[in-house]
Amino acid sequence: MPSAAASAREILTRLHEVMASRTGAQAKLNQVAGIIGQALESEVCSIYLLRDGELELYATRGLNQDAVHVTKLALGEGLVGTIAANVDTMNLDEATSHPDFAYKPETGEEMFHSFAGVPIVRREEAVGVLCVQHADSRRYAEVEIEALQTVAMVLSELIANAGLVDEKRHGTDRVLQTQMVRLTGLKLVEGMARGHAVYHQPRIVIEHTVAEDTEAERHRVYSAFDKMREQIDRMSAQAEFGLDGETREVIETYKMFAYDEGWGRRINEAIDSGLTAEAAIERVQQRTRMRMRQIDDPLLADRMHDLEDLANRLLRIVSGQLGTAAQAGLRQDTILIARNLGPAELLEYDRRRLKGVILEEGSLTAHVVIVARAMGIPVLGRVRDVRRMIVDGDPLLLDGTEGNVVVRASPAMEEAFDSKLVIGQKRRAQFAALRDQPSVSKDGTRVTLMVNAGLRDDAAALDITGADGIGLFRTEFQFLVSATLPMRQQQQRLYRDVLDAAGERPVIFRTVDIGGDKALPYMRQEENEENPAMGWRALRVALDRGGLMKPQARALLEAAAGRTLNVMFPMVSEPWEFDQAQAIFEAQRAWLVARGKRVPAAVRYGAMLEVPALAEVLDLLLPRLDFLSIGTNDLTQFLFAADRANPRLAERYDWLSPAILRFLARVSNIAHEHDVPVAVCGEMGGRPLEAMALLGLGIERLSITPAAIGPIKAMVRSLDLTALRAEMPGFLRSPPADMRATMAAWATANNIEIA
């Protein structure tokens, strides 16, 4: 059996002659079917093309010729339709046993058993299928499949040049590109933005696939690799994260792939088969995409996305085009569009021009969402048909609050959007005016409003919003954007800078919450977890890995020398876990004291209540705590057994459910009995109506996003808390059918600002 490159090269050499001939497209496809069938010693070779929304048998060697232009399959129908719909390869030793098999009697294919097919791809969509069949029952060898995939790329060029692409389908796209369209998606970061569409990675259409000079193509790829590596090294040197340049460490992940010899070898093999440099890169990239569709592990999928990002970068370089849109520079207010985006890539963009982000994929737990939220950039994820409906430069109205984007809006739609935007701006101006006003209810109750943070620059939100401090500093973000474990000195520098920026205002540092869905590329996972949110993560990881918590404990103690250090442990399930974590900190403090090092004037220890089991032993734990924080995001999904990253469940369970409110009331009451301050850290506290309910339960400390400080303060200052607390026991004792509607009606009747 010849190598895949040799098999493909033999076919491509003959196809090159066919493509250069002056015969018509039909004659060329007939010859192509014969050449492939002969080269692979296959009794059948058939080419199906997508025409008027159906896959039409356009040429065949081995099937009944009368079936040509007669046999048609819908997308998803039969083996051929399934290949096109999934843009994936199929290799079967017995075709009729496959559940998607559809028999077409006019083809005369009943005598053939084995079947292999590959999609013919144009602009990431299947425009046809190339398949082979044998009478014998056998699977095709890998070299044969790879040869078919390579040939399919060349066929894509032939089909496009001959005008055989589904014109009706693409004609419809062109019509849509002049009309107003509304696309919906998953709300990842709320907010509103107006700007022009810019693709993070502009599409490159490969026009020439067959190489004239293989060595020249190889030289082009080598040169492109050198330029790409220079770009990444330059990004590493120039990128800034906060003041410390930690984004450089994110780039290290990309560098691992950029210098990967295996990737370069696969591209070289594709060039050996007779492809141009561009086609070879795209050929390897297509294989990567097919692998991505088969990967369930989120960490591996993220790594495959990194590799595809690099492939796109390499393709743009070898074709002479610029890199990402960030490198070209944004010339106007922009809504960025990408399949997926990494946190380092987002930070490359000019924040003055970048107004919003649309992702074809994306999830609530993606690292880029954390960064975007901190930057105040609305993000809409899982938006379908983006590349078909939006072209570069289209004016977009992004409403991350409603979860939609309007493309090429009508004047009336623009006016409505602007009105909503103006109202939002006025509201923000009103909230900004409250910055120096105390957060005190009408009956004189002081409510502590703090911000959640994770970036060094987030500390600036304290002065902008007038917040009382940082109620949750997520230390794990420094770990998530690093290609290697952050050194103790790096951690210490970050913590000290945050404390300096906060001044006299308190900062509560949550120890690292990684593992599960927050996987680190440099830390080996023990196993693939089916339920990562409830798995080996947070304090469980930190207690198991001394190399995580001990350096962090020492870094925090050294950073807070002479000041009060507030430290909080995440996902505590039982008191002994808190005890072990506290013991690690105390051991590090004793170590520093023994060596004459400065230590904090005081260390206050707290725990996060996210695991419902902890509520059952709070009476045992509270005497050891200085404060308690309730993490409503994780707590809610654990109470309802509902994954908040699942879009079908994300908004199904209401924070104003009686189950949640009763649970929180019980926790609040027992904390007050032990005279331990209790706070809520999570999205629930950042929504005015939900925050009002929390205050009614006796919780007077909230840690929320900076953008929520103004609305929550306005609500507090309009609230008679005594009156609300008189109503809450009745709401909990005999819950109304719709708790949200009932509480909203009470707020309206009492002139509470909850809008």
Side-chain angles (χ1 to χ4, degrees), residues 193-207:
R194 171 200 284 272
H196 289 82
V198 171
Y199 278 90
H200 172 60
Q201 296 172 332
R203 174 185 286 153
I204 294 174
V205 178
I206 298 171
E207 301 297 345

Side-chain angles (χ1 to χ4, degrees), residues 85-105:
N86 297 337
V87 197
D88 208 352
T89 297
M90 197 173 280
N91 186 5
L92 307 170
D93 53 9
E94 187 57 62
T96 57
S97 65
H98 194 279
D100 292 325
F101 178 78
Y103 176 57
K104 296 292 182 179

Side-chain angles (χ1 to χ4, degrees), residues 180-196:
M180 187 179 81
V181 179
R182 186 194 297 270
L183 303 176
T184 60
L186 178 66
K187 295 181 288 185
L188 298 180
V189 180
E190 293 190 1
M192 297 179 67
R194 171 200 284 272
H196 289 82

